[in-house]
Amino acid sequence: MSLRLLIVDDSRMSRLILQGLVLQAHPDWTIVHASSGEEALQLVRESPVDLVSMDFNMHGMTGLEAALALRQLQPQLPIAILTANVQTAMQERIEEAGMVFIAKPITARAAQQLAALAGA
């Protein structure tokens, strides 16, 4: 199953780590990168994606704000919010928005959770 995954994180290293872990298990996936929520919105306007991995803490809009805006463009889009903030309130906020919480640091387990969100 070939999917188009959008990885949104202001850390280039985090994007590359997640990309590497995902491609190990799913080499047929296409990975698209964005370094901000604003860039992610522009990319999705130009070409829809199948799945999004979104960092929470970024410059400009937060990952949750960007994710909610993406949902306006693609209402059924599966989105995972990745953050090192593992407080229960943060997890609940993300889940109440209909998204999946994945704790950082980025590991093979995080990549598996992301793939599961896509049904892969």
Side-chain angles (χ1 to χ4, degrees):
M1 171 168 76
S2 179
L3 293 177
R4 184 172 159 88
L5 167 63
L6 173 59
I7 300 175
V8 187
D9 199 308
D10 56 354
S11 165
R12 182 175 183 273
M13 185 59 66
S14 291
R15 292 192 311 267
L16 292 174
I17 290 169
L18 183 55
Q19 174 180 303
L21 290 168
V22 167
L23 289 177
Q24 283 179 6
H26 304 281
D28 57 330
W29 286 19
T30 300
I31 310 293
V32 182
H33 292 240
S35 61
S36 68
E38 294 85 359
E39 184 181 359
L41 288 167
Q42 185 58 40
L43 287 170
V44 170
R45 282 185 193 104
E46 294 169 4
S47 181
V49 296
D50 300 302
L51 176 64
V52 175
S53 165
M54 180 79 68
D55 181 30
F56 185 85
N57 293 311
M58 294 184 290
H59 302 291
M61 60 177 33
T62 68
L64 187 55
E65 291 168 338
L68 291 170
L70 285 174
R71 282 275 173 83
Q72 295 297 314
L73 299 173
Q74 286 187 245
Q76 302 304 316
L77 183 62
I79 301 173
I81 305 285
L82 283 73
T83 181
N85 183 345
V86 296
Q87 296 175 2
T88 303
M90 176 64 74
Q91 293 180 37
E92 289 173 353
R93 190 169 157 202
I94 291 167
E95 290 167 4
E96 285 171 4
M99 295 164 207
V100 172
F101 169 87
I102 298 178
K104 280 187 170 182
I106 298 168
T107 62
R109 171 90 174 111
Q112 291 168 347
Q113 288 176 281
L114 191 57
L117 180 57

